[in-house]
Amino acid sequence: MILLAVMVSGQVAAAAEDLSVFHPVSQPASSIRDLFYLVLAITGAIFLLVEGMLIYAAVRYRRRAAANAQKAEPEPAQIYGSPPLEVAWTVAPLLIVFVLFLVVVRSVVEAQQANDDPPALRLQVIGHQWWWEIVYPGEQPEQTMRTANEIHVPASGDGQPARIEIELLSADLIHSFWVPRLAGKTDLIPGRSNRMWFTSDEPGIFFGQCAEFCGTQHANMKLRVVAEPREEFDRWLQNEKQPAADVPSAAAGRTKFLSLSCVNCHTVRGTTARGTVGPDLTHLMSRRTLAAGTVENDHDHLRQWIADPDSLKPGSEMPDLRLSPADVDSVVEFLESLQ
Ligand code: CUA
């Protein structure tokens, strides 16, 4: 029943944010699903066998109707030990457990596989309350690019698996990186560097979620993996690496933004804003969502997010600066120029 409910909810979720482990599009998610089905088949067969025998025995040997109960039933044959039977029910479970052990170990080794081939892309993901910082390392430190909550990666193409290798770190407490259609969960632990990898066999947007309770907005610590054909990914990366364009029509907003305490927490490359507490905003408008996937990144939400962050994400670390409506408008004007 529970399994059925899980599978049905998986189908329902497919319509919107598909977080179902039953629709893998990659390794190691596929082998995790296959392992689940194998273990389910073996344990399901055992369940049916044991329950079947139990029900059979209960029905076949139940106490008969009252008429028969009058005369004493003969005592059944008494059996004390049966070596062949005892050997059988000891050896059979041992063998089954051994087989399960082997397939699980094989999948775990596969999922942790230290592949010798250099990956198509190496990234760092840093967990924060309650958003994801994504670092695309450059050859030089100044070429390193940071974004938030939406991880662009190249999808596999031309039969060549594009393996993405991710180093997972945390800025505060334990989070867990989980994109069910791509890979299993891996924790982000303060003071520790964890690694995971996946390939994405088809282009698409794959939804993820922090999977380790980390406070008030844990449920709104969402992430997206945007897997694109190589050329599209390269184009995106090329744009992201540029410093923020100085758009003349947004000059007033830019001055306003740089005069506010926004700059203590946020970086906009190419300006004096160099804060590292909150997300890098250099190409904010290239992102689909705000506040770690809480809402669409559009004009109204952006305005609301700056004017009153708690109305969108209660408890969020983004402070309410109590800006006048005019100041909110200038800041939004500037942010919307960050394409
Ligand atoms: Cu981060 Cu839960």
Side-chain angles (χ1 to χ4, degrees):
M1 245 349 263
I2 294 168
L3 177 76
L4 193 68
V6 168
M7 290 173 102
V8 168
S9 69
Q11 293 301 326
V12 173
E17 297 187 6
D18 190 347
L19 289 165
S20 171
V21 292
F22 297 108
H23 309 136
V25 288
S26 75
Q27 287 301 346
S30 303
S31 33
I32 293 172
R33 188 216 29 201
D34 295 348
L35 178 65
F36 170 79
Y37 281 140
L38 179 69
V39 173
L40 181 72
I42 293 175
T43 52
I46 294 172
F47 176 79
L48 288 180
L49 183 72
V50 171
E51 286 302 306
M53 281 162 61
L54 187 68
I55 290 169
Y56 172 79
V59 172
R60 172 81 175 74
Y61 300 106
R62 71 187 185 279
R63 187 155 194 190
R64 299 292 163 169
N68 298 345
Q70 296 304 79
K71 57 178 180 278
E73 300 229 3
E75 198 166 278
Q78 301 297 300
I79 301 163
Y80 297 99
S82 161
L85 212 55
E86 283 174 29
V87 168
W89 73 46
T90 307
V91 170
L94 268 179
L95 283 178
I96 293 168
V97 169
F98 187 63
V99 167
L100 288 176
F101 173 75
L102 287 184
V103 292
V104 168
V105 165
R106 196 186 62 183
S107 299
V108 169
V109 169
E110 218 172 75
Q112 295 184 335
Q113 161 196 69
N115 201 320
D116 292 333
D117 305 334
L121 184 64
R122 245 193 210 111
L123 294 176
Q124 261 180 358
V125 172
I126 305 167
H128 294 257
Q129 283 178 312
W130 291 275
W131 60 282
W132 308 87
E133 179 177 2
I134 305 143
V135 185
Y136 291 76
E139 321 237 295
Q140 309 295 326
E142 63 272 16
Q143 291 172 330
T144 294
M145 189 276 285
R146 285 159 201 272
T147 178
N149 307 320
E150 294 173 18
I151 308 179
H152 285 246
V153 299
S156 303
D158 306 328
Q160 284 290 357
R163 199 165 55 87
I164 314 300
E165 214 177 83
I166 299 185
E167 183 185 11
L168 298 165
L169 307 165
S170 172
D172 35 44
L173 35 71
I174 302 177
H175 304 273
S176 185
F177 183 95
W178 191 34
V179 184
R181 299 188 69 196
L182 298 176
K185 298 169 187 170
T186 311
D187 281 1
L188 302 87
I189 300 171
R192 203 189 137 95
S193 148
N194 275 348
R195 274 170 199 287
M196 54 100 61
W197 65 271
F198 59 80
T199 59
S200 138
D201 297 342
E202 50 184 76
I205 298 179
F206 306 114
F207 297 91
Q209 168 70 50
C210 178
E212 181 73 50
F213 182 69
C214 56
T216 320
Q217 286 294 337
H218 157 71
N220 277 327
M221 190 167 164
K222 302 180 189 180
L223 74 141
R224 285 166 156 74
V225 172
V226 183
E228 303 166 306
R230 187 82 220 192
E231 317 80 70
E232 249 172 79
F233 169 75
D234 287 339
R235 222 176 305 137
W236 172 85
L237 190 62
Q238 215 37 52
N239 179 56
E240 295 288 312
K241 280 189 169 166
Q242 305 301 319
D246 201 345
V247 179
S249 61
R254 183 185 177 103
T255 312
K256 180 87 255 163
F257 176 86
L258 293 176
S259 74
L260 293 167
S261 47
C262 307
V263 300
N264 297 336
C265 294
H266 295 285
T267 293
V268 178
R269 270 179 294 119
T271 74
T272 49
R274 303 241 170 84
T276 55
V277 176
D280 185 308
L281 302 176
T282 310
H283 295 283
L284 176 67
M285 297 321 286
S286 71
R287 307 209 274 264
R288 291 165 168 80
T289 61
L290 293 174
T294 310
V295 292
E296 296 289 316
N297 182 8
D298 55 33
H299 180 79
D300 291 343
H301 284 127
L302 192 53
R303 244 190 139 275
Q304 192 183 344
W305 180 235
I306 291 157
D308 185 5
D310 261 21
S311 67
L312 287 178
K313 201 168 176 175
S316 148
E317 302 283 314
M318 167 93 168
D320 180 354
L321 296 181
R322 308 200 176 268
L323 303 179
S324 67
D327 285 355
V328 172
D329 284 335
S330 333
V331 169
V332 167
E333 186 185 63
F334 170 59
L335 293 178
E336 287 183 333
S337 77
L338 301 173
Q339 297 294 328

